[in-house]
Every structure is written in structure tokens, then in C-alpha cells.
Amino acid sequence: MSAGASDLKGRLTDGLYGLGWSAVKTLPEPAAARLFRTIADQVWKRRGKSVLRLESNLARVVPDAGPERLAELSKAGMRSYMRYWMESFRLPTWTPERIKASIDVKDAHHLTEGLDAGNGVIIALPHLGNWDLAGAWVTTDLKVPFTTVAERLEPATLYDRFVAYREGLGMEVLPHSGGAAFGTLARRLRAGGLVCLVADRDLSASGVEVSFFGSTARMPAGPALLAQQTGALLMPVTLWYDGTPVMKARVHPAVEAPTEGTRTEKTSAMTQALADAFAGGIAEHPEDWHMLQRLWLDDLDPRGAPK
């Protein structure tokens, strides 16, 4: 693609997201829900690369599912993914009361007690449900600020939109690229703060190999390394929809750091524990796992890029 065509595509993408944030939030809720359900079904019917990848990933999660069941799951998965976008476009207009009423958090005491202890807490989540809504609940209902990271998007104006959106929900957002993010996260944790990281996919050379639904995947080392370096608690969180307007969430008990072994061995064990917690939540609600990219190593070439 030429530079001019790439630039045009970037401007169009940014414009579409801008339209979403400005227009969708003004629609009546039933109309917005119908619109995004229709979009999901149309995208699913086209059977593009993202839908086929989602279906391939779901085949690993539900290995005994036949073609019909996988098609049902991928269709439900696209509807769940579009619900995420519909809610995210509308979140900036929601009141704290509306946010609280839109999520039911189970075992939240793990989080609140961990924060009360004063040593910092790291929340690690997979791409399940709506993690932005969960973050908005933390900042509005618990009234706890937190820090997260965001992957740099192209064009830069689109990345700026996402940062402004999440900062508007009360989050501190750091760019994923560069080495400064880890140090800032560590400082926040040493001050007794909260860090939230989506942590079920890492294609970098520093990722940790884990067993995930019977095959090897790579997940980020950052959460486990931060916990070891700062003494913060590392807690998995899983999210799901259940057919109601209220998203469900579960805060899992903190992952324990092994008492013996090298730093690398401890990081591997803790990341595997995260992967196991993620797998449990995904297996219970596979249609809410929004993994439309390649994840497992045997789906990648030896350099870590998609085949």
C-alpha cells in the first residue's frame, strides 16, 4: 500500500471511530443495541479473516464442537464484540449510578482488601467482556484511580482518541512502546496504587510461554515481574455477559509468587497461573472472548509473526 493510500485509510478509520463516539452515544439505547447487533451479524455473514480467526481460536477452546456449534459460537462472539463497542461508545455519557448498575462484581473483597493492605494491586484480564466498563466501575464506584497501558495505534489521531476516552473514564494511560511504562507502573504500585493490564496475548520476544487449552501460547511477563519487583498482589479478573444488560465480573484470589526458584522460573509459574485462571473464565463463556488475532505459537511463524 502506498503512503498516500495508507494515510487515507488512517484518516477514514479515525473518522469512523470519531463518528461512533459522537453519534452512537446520542441514539436511544434499544436503537443502538439493534444497530450493533445488525453490524455483528453482517460482519459474521461475510466470513472475513477476523471471523475465521475467531472461529479457529474458539475451536481450541471448545475442541468437541462441530461446525454448526462453532458457527453459533462465532456469531455470538461477534455480537458480544459489537456489544463491547456499543457500550464503549456510550460509556462517556453514563452516570456513576448507571455504571454501577451495569456490572455485577463477584468477590470484589479480594480487590478492596488488597488495596487496603497498601502494597499495591495488579489486575490482569483477558480480552473477555468489556474491560473498559470494569475499569469505569473501579474509578466511579470504588473511587480508585488506576494506571494502564495502551498499544500505539495508527493513525496517531486514533491512538489519541482512545487515550482521551480512557482518561475521561478516570484512567491513567501509558503508551505500551518504550521502556518507561514499566518503571512508572512500578512506582504506582510501590505507592499502594492499582495497575490494570490486559494480559492474554504477547507476541514479543519477552513473552512467557504457557500451556493454554492444551497448546503453547505466549503471554506477557510484565504482570508477574511487576508483582515480584514491587511486592504487589497479582489478581486475575474474568468478565462475561449472560444475556442481561448487566455484565458479570469475578475477582480471583491473588496469584502466589513461588518461594523458590530463579526470577525467570517464578515469572513462568505466575504467568501460567494467570493463564489457567483466564482459561477457566474463557471456557465458561467462550463467546465473550474477543480474540480475533492469532495467539498460539503453532499459528505463528518462527519469528512470532502470523503465518
Side-chain angles (χ1 to χ4, degrees):
M1 182 183 294
S2 69
S6 177
D7 185 56
L8 176 60
K9 181 181 178 182
R11 291 200 304 271
L12 287 172
T13 301
D14 180 50
L16 287 171
Y17 277 103
L19 179 64
W21 266 301
S22 62
V24 174
K25 67 179 66 171
T26 66
L27 288 174
E29 186 126 345
R34 285 194 302 271
L35 172 62
F36 277 77
R37 188 183 180 99
T38 299
I39 293 171
D41 290 350
Q42 290 300 316
V43 172
W44 178 80
K45 284 179 182 177
R46 286 202 295 269
R47 308 288 291 165
K49 288 183 179 180
S50 294
V51 173
L52 294 176
R53 175 48 48 192
L54 174 63
E55 209 161 281
S56 176
N57 290 339
L58 289 171
R60 294 181 184 260
V61 175
V62 190
D64 57 347
E68 274 192 34
R69 175 59 177 150
L70 282 176
E72 291 173 357
L73 281 173
S74 65
K75 185 175 185 178
M78 290 310 299
R79 288 180 173 182
S80 174
Y81 185 47
M82 286 298 116
R83 176 173 170 175
Y84 160 79
W85 281 111
M86 187 269 289
E87 289 178 344
S88 295
F89 285 142
R90 298 172 70 84
L91 257 176
T93 68
W94 286 7
T95 64
E97 292 75 21
R98 171 64 193 277
I99 291 170
K100 181 178 180 179
S102 298
I103 182 169
D104 175 20
V105 182
K106 304 178 186 305
D107 299 325
H109 66 92
H110 292 308
L111 174 57
T112 55
E113 290 170 3
L115 289 169
D116 289 343
N119 294 324
V121 174
I122 305 157
I123 291 293
L125 311 92
H127 287 81
L128 266 174
N130 188 337
W131 44 96
D132 287 330
L133 173 55
W137 172 79
V138 169
T139 59
T140 58
D141 192 47
L142 295 187
K143 295 181 172 54
V144 175
F146 68 86
T147 305
T148 187
V149 297
E151 183 179 355
R152 285 200 178 277
L153 303 172
E154 294 296 337
T157 51
L158 179 58
Y159 171 77
D160 292 341
R161 284 187 189 275
F162 272 96
V163 170
Y165 155 65
R166 290 186 169 125
E167 288 179 342
L169 298 176
M171 311 175 193
E172 179 188 21
V173 183
L174 307 175
H176 187 272
S177 58
F182 188 92
T184 301
L185 295 174
R187 286 193 294 274
R188 300 292 182 268
L189 292 167
R190 290 193 183 99
L194 176 64
V195 164
C196 297
L197 302 169
V198 179
D200 58 344
R201 183 174 184 262
D202 190 325
L203 301 182
S204 73
S206 61
V208 176
E209 291 189 4
V210 296
S211 177
F212 197 55
F213 291 102
S215 297
T216 303
R218 191 178 290 127
M219 295 187 181
L225 288 171
L226 282 166
Q228 292 177 72
Q229 185 164 314
T230 66
L233 296 173
L234 175 57
M235 293 183 185
V237 169
T238 51
L239 312 168
W240 68 95
Y241 297 120
D242 65 354
T244 72
V246 180
M247 184 179 73
K248 305 301 188 291
R250 174 171 290 114
V251 182
H252 297 258
V255 169
E256 297 290 339
T259 56
E260 298 181 353
T262 65
R263 185 182 187 188
T264 298
E265 289 167 343
K266 291 178 180 180
T267 300
S268 178
M270 295 173 76
T271 306
Q272 183 64 60
L274 283 182
D276 293 343
F278 294 167
I282 292 165
E284 290 178 359
H285 307 280
E287 67 278 7
D288 292 323
W289 189 39
H290 307 150
M291 184 55 67
L292 280 67
Q293 300 85 23
R294 297 175 189 266
L295 176 69
W296 283 273
L297 296 194
D298 54 14
D299 288 332
L300 306 169
D301 73 19
R303 293 165 298 182
K307 289 180 180 176

